[in-house]
Amino acid sequence: MKKQLFKLIIACSLAIPLLALSETNSISLGDLFKKVTQSPVAQPAEDAKLGENGFKSPDEVKRFLQGLGWFKGEVIDVIDSPAFEGFYTLIAKGSDDVWWPNGMHFSKTDNFVIGSDSNFKNAHQKILYEVANQKLIPSTQSYETFVKTRMLPKINHGLFIKITYNSIEPKAYVISAADCPFCRKLEKNLYKAKVSHYVLPDYSMTNTDTQLGRARDIQIVCGGEKPWIDKMVNNIPFKNLEACTEKYDYYLAKDEIHHVLRTAKLMRGFPTTILFTESESAAFSGYCDAIPKLINKTNLGQTANLNDCK
């Protein structure tokens, strides 16, 4: 009996305020109970926090961009960055997929995004953003510093020519061109000093056809170390070079690296050398007699005086 009386009191105490509300809002008690007890349909929790702890999949990047109203998915796709491990990037869809010229990158591990100006139209004005409250907020960290410390050390070296001496793993990249006299001079000195490094062959300086340039570079990369050394050191022409399917992302990766280096003002000509130091990366454009020594020290984990090349 006591239990029934207690339930009746509780029911009346709940019903009184609800009845008052029902009178003022002209809503039935039954409907009011439904309104009070049913939770509103909410967006999934992961959508509310997209990108704030890093983007976990290409689909998350797409949903984030669509939420901002920038891309509807018709002309772009999101892929793992061929150039930089730990990032997603955009490609333009088509019969020949190419890297998205506005050059966006999305971190997989934290809330950083690289984009262009506020309208995402100026590909040459890069801005480092942070994701917060489903928006992109310009970061207080500089774009150039981010590139040096976070992106260049994450270059995917598996796509490039690996030149190794004395079993020393390379820690430097040389962006080069087979018909560049300064590039040949640098390669000869690197060969003479037996300096391990990675090579990123570039478009021919005398060939203005981008498609032919890409095809030629992929063939050179597939050829590997020997034909590159033969050409650059011993002046032996390339012969019977063929492209290989496992390097098909090479030109996408090289376009990414070029764009990031240029917009961070780290590349101004050929050859360009990227060194990975303990605290950040350094990039040098043009030829420098000290580069073989600097690369060797970096490869061996020693401190290199970067001012020797400035």
Side-chain angles (χ1 to χ4, degrees), residues 261-276:
L261 286 173
R262 290 187 189 281
T263 54
K265 299 181 172 66
L266 298 174
M267 180 180 180
R268 294 175 295 277
F270 297 108
T272 294
T273 304
I274 304 170
L275 297 177
F276 302 116

Side-chain angles (χ1 to χ4, degrees), residues 144 148 152 175-176 180 182-183 202 205 257-274 281-288 291 306 309-310:
E144 182 177 334
K148 285 182 175 182
L152 294 184
I175 299 176
S176 190
C180 161
F182 292 106
C183 299
D202 204 336
M205 298 174 67
I257 293 170
H258 270 227
H259 197 80
V260 166
L261 286 173
R262 290 187 189 281
T263 54
K265 299 181 172 66
L266 298 174
M267 180 180 180
R268 294 175 295 277
F270 297 108
T272 294
T273 304
I274 304 170
S281 299
F284 303 100
S285 289
Y287 177 75
C288 170
I291 284 180
L306 303 181
C309 219
K310 292 181 180 178

